[in-house]
Amino acid sequence: MKFDNIVIGGGMAGLSAALRLVEAGQKTLLMASGQSALHFSSGSVDLLESEGDPRAALPAFMAAHPDHPYSKVGMQNIEASLADLQRHCAEQGLPLVRHDTNHQRLTPIGTLKRTWLSPDTCACVTDAPIPDVLLLATLEGFRDFHPALAAANLATHPRFAHCRILTGEIRLPQLAEFSRNPHEFRSADIARLCDKHHLVADLAREISRMVQESGVPGCRHIVLPACLSLGLVGPRLAELEQRTGCTIKEVATMPPSLIGMRMQEALKRRFIALGGTFLTSERVLGARYEGDRVVGVHTQNGDDQLFEADNFVLASGSFFSRGLESRLRGIREPIFDADVLSLEERDAWAGRRLFDHHPFMGFGVKTDDKLRVLRGGKSLTNLYGAGSVLAHYDPIREGSGSGVAVATGWQAAGHILGAAQ
């Protein structure tokens, strides 16, 4: 099988690269080994931890970190990549919103996390006034969102000092159709039920009941866990708002996160609609070479079946996605045996405390200034790296994870397209 490009990895980095390539008319194959980290994601896109405009902070940050993936992409391309992501998501009915500064999204435990882009259905704090009353509600039997905990944490935030935070519980008799313990429902279980039955009227009645029982005037702002649909939830929330007269937003839950899953599915649909080929459960195990070029890759189905291409993008993820493997005296990239940044002494990999700096977060594949993967100290001329497989950045500490994924995936595709001209 011969393609113009093969992208390895179905997460944010791989999809960003594949979308740019296929939209440019390139015959592109995306190979995903299974669920990506998006299934565990909030669905928001972090650019850089900053109280103000992260774009203003990026030039100084890149100057201080010349090996950082952002430094290899450049400011103009970072912004272009994020604009492209917004465009693709909007085409699939999943609008992403941003402001002139980082906004704060509500987490499932009631803390606020700075981010750059969020789906418009998400509960976020912006420069707009905080409501006087806020109702955090869950569904009876749902174990992955606890309104009382979220309310207690949110109440400690200075901007919510004047806000009265209420909690409630929605009771749906239809949940009884599950045979398992009623306290073991996951977000996907409830979403399947909501997609199977038309429960908007039942949900609206329950929301109206909670509002009435609260006895608090002005209780019109509701936050629910993201579990009302496996697909695009915007129309469902809009109908609920129309029926109840309330403003209703959702918060990402503990994994599996439906907001992240919707993002992946939206981008996957977009890629296929543009003519791309998407293979799932196809784990790449190794590659063949001709000098400093990759000729093809083979999967668990056997090395006699070679997937060939002119160019390749490695977006296989970090340790979580098995894009990197931990070894006794270091780490390894398992497909291409690429050069990696690591430390030989395992005791130096992590800090002593949970919230210390952990050096292993910066481990990963080394690339040149065009994001070409290094192997044996030399660049492989047609293999590019993108996303969390890359070295020299700490997505947690910097608040840059999904931003780096989008920017490097988009830029890797740009280098391929530039070389083809």
Side-chain angles (χ1 to χ4, degrees):
M1 299 183 188
K2 180 67 184 290
F3 295 85
D4 294 327
N5 311 287
I6 292 178
V7 178
I8 303 168
M12 189 69 86
L15 285 162
S16 296
L19 281 165
R20 188 175 186 187
L21 291 167
V22 74
E23 194 169 39
Q26 297 268 306
K27 183 181 179 183
T28 302
L29 168 66
L30 191 151
M31 305 178 77
S33 61
Q35 293 180 354
S36 77
L38 280 169
H39 286 239
F40 303 82
S41 161
S42 67
S44 294
V45 178
D46 303 337
L47 181 54
L48 190 70
E49 176 68 21
S50 171
E51 291 188 7
D53 186 343
R55 296 170 300 179
L58 271 172
F61 176 83
M62 291 188 289
H65 302 86
D67 292 325
H68 195 281
Y70 276 154
S71 300
K72 298 178 181 182
V73 174
M75 190 67 212
Q76 183 176 354
N77 292 319
I78 293 170
E79 293 198 70
S81 70
L82 294 169
D84 240 15
L85 176 68
Q86 285 184 277
R87 177 173 61 85
H88 287 305
C89 286
E91 287 286 345
Q92 292 299 312
L94 185 68
L96 302 178
V97 297
R98 72 168 180 83
H99 303 270
D100 291 333
T101 62
N102 275 332
H103 59 272
Q104 295 177 301
R105 64 172 177 83
L106 180 64
T107 74
I109 61 172
T111 57
L112 297 175
K113 172 71 171 63
R114 290 191 184 94
T115 192
W116 183 240
L117 298 173
S118 291
D120 66 345
T121 59
C122 289
C124 295
V125 176
T126 65
D127 292 335
I130 300 296
D132 293 329
V133 183
L134 184 65
L135 174 61
L136 307 183
T138 190
L139 283 83
E140 184 180 31
F142 183 49
R143 60 188 282 177
D144 291 333
F145 179 61
H146 301 280
L149 172 64
N153 286 328
L154 191 59
T156 65
H157 196 280
R159 288 202 62 190
F160 285 81
H162 74 281
C163 179
R164 184 171 180 181
I165 305 175
L166 310 175
T167 61
E169 189 173 71
I170 292 172
R171 298 187 290 270
L172 289 179
Q174 293 88 344
L175 289 175
E177 76 174 47
F178 290 112
S179 59
R180 72 182 72 173
N181 186 312
H183 294 285
E184 290 184 355
F185 298 135
R186 295 293 191 185
S187 56
D189 296 325
I190 298 172
R192 289 189 189 96
L193 180 72
C194 291
D195 289 338
K196 178 181 177 182
H197 305 289
H198 192 71
L199 299 182
V200 173
D202 301 86
L203 287 166
R205 280 195 296 270
E206 280 293 291
I207 292 170
S208 297
R209 174 190 61 78
M210 287 191 301
V211 168
Q212 183 177 8
E213 290 180 358
S214 75
V216 179
C219 181
R220 287 290 181 270
H221 295 272
I222 316 295
V223 175
L224 301 176
C227 61
L228 299 187
S229 178
L230 290 173
L232 298 177
V233 77
R236 190 160 294 174
L237 292 182
E239 185 176 351
L240 280 174
E241 290 181 336
Q242 184 178 22
R243 286 174 176 263
T244 62
C246 295
T247 298
I248 302 174
K249 297 294 182 180
E250 60 177 1
V251 60
T253 67
M254 301 298 183
S257 170
L258 296 193
I259 302 181
M261 291 167 63
R262 292 177 199 141
M263 172 79 78
Q264 183 181 36
E265 287 304 308
L267 295 176
K268 176 182 173 181
R269 287 195 306 270
R270 177 71 171 158
F271 173 66
I272 294 172
L274 290 170
T277 302
F278 192 103
L279 288 182
T280 190
S281 301
E282 198 73 47
R283 185 162 194 84
V284 179
L285 298 183
R288 294 185 191 174
Y289 308 88
E290 287 183 358
D292 59 358
R293 291 182 60 82
V294 179
V295 175
V297 295
H298 60 85
T299 69
Q300 74 270 21
N301 293 321
D303 59 6
D304 58 330
Q305 183 177 3
L306 196 66
F307 293 85
E308 299 179 78
D310 295 327
N311 292 284
F312 298 81
V313 177
L314 177 64
S316 51
S318 187
F319 301 100
F320 177 80
S321 303
R322 296 168 63 186
L324 298 172
E325 293 180 350
S326 172
R327 300 286 175 160
L328 184 61
R329 298 192 63 82
I331 67 168
R332 173 176 176 264
E333 187 283 307
I335 299 174
F336 300 98
D337 196 23
D339 294 350
V340 295
L341 175 69
S342 181
L343 295 173
E344 287 192 10
E345 188 59 51
R346 284 188 73 99
D347 285 346
W349 287 17
R352 295 296 180 184
R353 295 179 175 84
L354 178 62
F355 295 107
D356 284 350
H357 169 57
H358 300 297
F360 79 88
M361 294 298 296
F363 292 175
V365 169
K366 296 179 180 179
T367 61
D368 64 13
D369 60 353
K370 291 187 176 181
L371 296 175
R372 292 178 298 195
V373 171
L374 301 182
R375 186 171 185 262
K378 298 181 180 179
S379 301
L380 291 168
T381 59
N382 66 334
L383 174 64
Y384 299 82
S388 58
V389 75
L390 298 176
H392 299 295
Y393 84 107
D394 184 336
I396 303 300
R397 195 180 193 191
E398 300 163 4
S400 63
S402 42
V404 167
V406 173
T408 54
W410 191 87
Q411 183 68 352
H415 287 309
I416 291 172
L417 297 174
Q421 292 178 353

